[in-house]
Amino acid sequence: FTDKAATSPLFKSLSARYYKKVALGEMKKAEVGKEGIAKKYAITSYPTLLAFPPGLSDPADASRLEGEMTPDSIEEFIASYAIGGKNDDAAAKASEKVFAQPKAHAAGVEVIASLDDFEKKCAARADGLSCCLTAVPGGEKHAVYPALSPIAEKYKFDKFAFAVLDTTVGSDLALALGFNLKLGGFGVMRGKKRKMGLLEVTPELALSEERIVSFLDKALGGDVRYQPITDSLPAWEAAASEADAQAESVANEGSCAAPADGDEGTCNAP
């Protein structure tokens, strides 16, 4: 039972996660007021979750979760009614399809090395995923980087893609997006709307795996504020690879042919 106009991303995610284990549904506040539903099920606050054993709908048979909720408490409540939970003996009867099971997507962490990279992998993704961008000094060498792959794996069924930006080499872009160059930061970007929600990072609230996961759960629950990013992002060209740099160095130095017997050899000017 909810007072929100739209189904929260968290509830959609959980319905997909527990597909064929729990049948999930919702009623809007406007609907609850009809036909005495609020009175029948004693709905006095929003949100309220009711869980029924399979085949039953009497209020006396329901378990209830209400008051302050967190993504973890909601999932724990729903999980107890899933196959393998406390109602496992009858859970098979509750396998009604509510949402189609999504396919897992690639759970890697991409590296942003230029403005073009940012546009393709974050701001204008063709797959519709929201870009979860970690911007830290050192990029892949930062202490938080090893935690990003497990986090990406955790959310592989959600509409999240993950990327990392080194604020040392991409400082202008990082600043334009609102990141602190020294402390680093984390943000979720809605590509189509070109809006980003930023995790607050301060000396007292350092960037960590736990804080990133908590922020992502809030994003799934619709509890993150998104702000438009600037339309005038600074130019940033990708650095040449080491192989390209070596090839350019050889070209600039010119070339020499090995001498034949009695010959001094020849060299071409660069």
Side-chain angles (χ1 to χ4, degrees):
F1 297 87
T2 178
D3 57 355
K4 291 187 176 181
T7 302
S8 73
L10 174 62
F11 201 63
K12 290 181 179 180
S13 173
L14 290 173
S15 69
R17 188 171 301 175
Y18 290 99
Y19 173 59
K20 290 190 175 180
K21 296 180 180 180
V22 173
L24 297 180
E26 70 175 355
M27 291 198 71
K28 312 292 186 185
K29 185 176 181 180
E31 299 170 330
V32 172
K34 300 176 182 178
E35 301 179 6
I37 294 177
K39 183 177 180 180
K40 178 180 179 180
Y41 291 100
I43 306 301
T44 58
S45 63
Y46 299 88
T48 293
L49 295 180
L50 298 182
F52 297 90
L56 301 178
S57 60
D58 192 285
D61 297 317
S63 294
R64 179 180 297 261
L65 178 65
E66 54 190 352
E68 185 176 353
M69 301 182 191
T70 66
D72 288 341
S73 67
I74 294 173
E75 181 168 6
E76 182 180 356
F77 180 75
I78 293 175
S80 68
Y81 282 85
I83 294 176
K86 64 183 181 182
N87 294 300
D88 189 27
D89 56 332
K93 298 178 182 178
S95 60
E96 175 186 347
K97 181 177 179 180
V98 180
F99 291 97
Q101 171 75 345
K103 295 181 180 180
H105 53 77
V109 180
E110 298 183 281
V111 176
I112 304 299
S114 67
L115 179 59
D116 185 57
D117 263 356
F118 174 75
E119 290 292 341
K120 290 180 179 178
K121 299 173 182 177
C122 274
R125 291 189 64 92
D127 55 14
L129 300 180
S130 293
C131 173
C132 302
L133 181 61
T134 303
V136 287
E140 296 166 279
K141 298 179 181 179
H142 192 275
V144 80
Y145 180 78
L148 298 182
S149 289
I151 292 174
E153 181 68 22
K154 174 182 174 69
Y155 292 97
K156 66 182 180 181
F157 289 103
D158 300 300
K159 291 190 174 183
F160 289 151
F162 291 80
V164 64
L165 166 66
D166 185 347
T167 59
T168 304
V169 297
S171 57
D172 290 342
L173 177 59
L175 284 173
L177 295 174
F179 293 111
N180 185 300
L181 298 185
K182 293 183 178 180
L183 299 177
F186 181 84
V188 176
M189 180 165 186
R190 290 177 167 177
K192 292 182 178 180
K193 297 185 177 181
R194 294 186 73 84
K195 291 184 177 183
M196 179 172 283
L198 293 176
L199 170 65
E200 181 182 8
V201 177
T202 67
E204 294 76 25
L205 297 172
L207 187 65
S208 66
E209 178 181 359
E210 294 75 17
R211 297 198 65 221
I212 290 174
V213 169
S214 176
F215 188 77
L216 289 172
D217 286 339
K218 288 182 179 180
L220 286 174
D223 295 327
V224 169
R225 288 189 62 187
Y226 294 87
Q227 298 291 338
I229 66 171
T230 178
D231 290 329
S232 302
L233 293 173
W236 177 27
E237 297 294 333
S241 68
E242 184 176 346
D244 290 341
Q246 290 178 348
E248 183 178 355
S249 176
V250 170
N252 290 335
E253 291 175 0
S255 60
C256 293
D261 290 341
D263 194 356
E264 295 182 354
T266 59
C267 287
N268 297 322

